[in-house]
Every structure is written in C-alpha cells, then in structure tokens.
C-alpha cells in the first residue's frame, strides 16, 4: 500500500531526484518541507510513514545566524519523533549526520574532504544487508562533503571510501 513520504529539502540544488522518481513510480504520497523557501517542518509525524532528510552545505552545528532558513535542532527533534514512533527514516549526507545527532551520536569531520566522483566499497556488514547485498561490491558515487555521521553503539558501517570511513551507515 502507498506510504506517506515526507522530504526535508535544505537547498534547491539538493533535490530528492531519483528518490522522488522512485516514490512517484510506486504511487506513494509525498509532502515536502523546502527549508530554503522557509517552509515549516511538520509538528507531528502522525501523517508520515517515511521521513527523508536530504543533504546541504550546512552541518548539524550551523546556526540560524549562519543560515536563516535552517534549524538543525528543529530537524533533530522531528527525526527523534519519527524514530520514537517507529517510522522509516533515511538521510543523505547532512540528513545522515542529523539522524546521528538525533540518536545521540555527534557528527565528525571526515579525514578528507571529498568533492567529485569517487568509488565507495561495501563492508562485510553490507554484504549481509537485505538492501545493500544487491549492490556491487564497489561503485562510483558523486561526493561533496567534509563531514560524516556519528556512530551509535548499534550503528553499522555499510560502505567506506578512501577519503571517508563512514559513507553509508545503518
């Protein structure tokens, strides 16, 4: 049955692209918070089955003074509500860092900034994962980041790259 998917989009150039196409192709209902347009985040997760938090040039430490349309703490609170309610939650780049923050794991700076197309390699944990076991062992990905998500005690690293040891975290 169709899911109700809510996207949090920080910048017009960090659109959900293929994720949105996937959701449309399966008939899922979609709602959006476009923070760059000063949209308000949902106050409740009751009407959300799947929360998707996209990337952006901000970090979890970016203040409202530094970026007027971005409220890290409000997003972290929304993610906490979704996790506590047992909803699906996915984060890309900044979104993944915010999920870590919501779960009590502070983001870190990557050993190297990665800007460009570089390969990521799956870990043994990914090879046993129901989703990532279907991926190639190594594949090229577009990168534009200098930070990485924090790790909770239950976190599993599913992919790494030469410049960043935490590319995909579950």
């Amino acid at each position: 049955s169709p899911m109700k998917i809510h996207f949090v989009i920080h910048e017009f150039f960090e659109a959900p692209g293929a994720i949105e196409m996937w959701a449309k192709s399966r008939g899922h209902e979609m709602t959006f918070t476009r923070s760059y347009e000063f949209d308000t985040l949902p106050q409740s997760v009751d009407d959300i089955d799947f929360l998707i938090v996209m990337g952006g040039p901000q970090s979890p430490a970016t203040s409202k003074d530094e970026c007027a349309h971005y409220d890290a703490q409000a997003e972290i609170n929304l993610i906490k509500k979704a996790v506590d309610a047992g909803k699906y939650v996915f984060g890309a780049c900044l979104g993944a860092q915010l999920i870590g923050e919501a779960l009590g794991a502070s983001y870190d700076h990557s050993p190297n900034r990665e800007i460009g197309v570089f390969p990521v390699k799956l870990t043994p944990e990914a090879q046993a994962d129901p989703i990532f076991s279907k991926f190639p062992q190594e594949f090229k990905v577009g990168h534009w980041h200098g930070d990485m998500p924090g790790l909770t005690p239950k976190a599993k690293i599913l992919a790494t790259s030469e410049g960043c040891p935490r590319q995909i975290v579950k």
Side-chain angles (χ1 to χ4, degrees):
S1 64
M3 286 190 292
K4 295 176 181 175
I5 301 175
H6 186 79
F7 292 89
V8 177
I9 306 170
H10 302 105
E11 303 293 345
F12 74 91
F13 53 84
E14 290 281 354
I19 303 170
E20 186 176 353
M21 289 170 36
W22 167 84
K24 278 183 186 172
S25 74
R26 284 161 176 77
H28 298 308
E29 295 176 40
M30 293 178 284
T31 54
F32 301 86
T33 297
R34 293 177 177 89
S35 65
Y36 61 93
E37 292 182 356
F38 291 90
D39 289 351
T40 305
L41 289 165
Q43 294 305 301
S44 165
V45 295
D46 292 346
D47 291 330
I48 299 171
D49 298 315
F50 191 173
L51 177 64
I52 298 176
V53 185
M54 299 304 299
Q58 302 86 352
S59 85
T62 301
S63 70
K64 297 270 294 169
D65 287 342
E66 294 168 307
C67 182
H69 68 261
Y70 171 71
D71 186 340
Q73 194 55 57
E75 289 191 32
I76 290 166
N77 291 342
L78 178 66
I79 292 165
K80 282 180 186 172
K81 286 180 189 176
V83 168
D84 290 346
K87 309 295 182 166
Y88 294 104
V89 182
F90 171 82
C93 196
L94 172 61
Q97 296 164 27
L98 292 167
I99 292 169
E101 296 285 322
L103 297 174
S106 297
Y107 81 102
D108 287 314
H109 298 301
S110 297
N112 298 289
R113 292 184 63 80
E114 290 181 308
I115 301 173
V117 177
F118 305 103
V120 297
K121 294 180 182 172
L122 296 183
T123 64
E125 292 277 6
Q127 293 164 21
D129 183 82
I131 295 171
F132 287 95
S133 62
K134 296 171 176 58
F135 280 59
Q137 176 61 38
E138 183 175 311
F139 52 97
K140 291 184 178 177
V141 175
H143 301 266
W144 189 353
H145 63 97
D147 296 324
M148 58 187 177
L151 297 176
T152 66
K154 293 182 180 179
K156 295 178 182 173
I157 298 172
L158 300 183
T160 64
S161 70
E162 192 174 317
C164 180
R166 301 179 199 161
Q167 284 291 349
I168 301 173
V169 178
K170 180 176 184 178

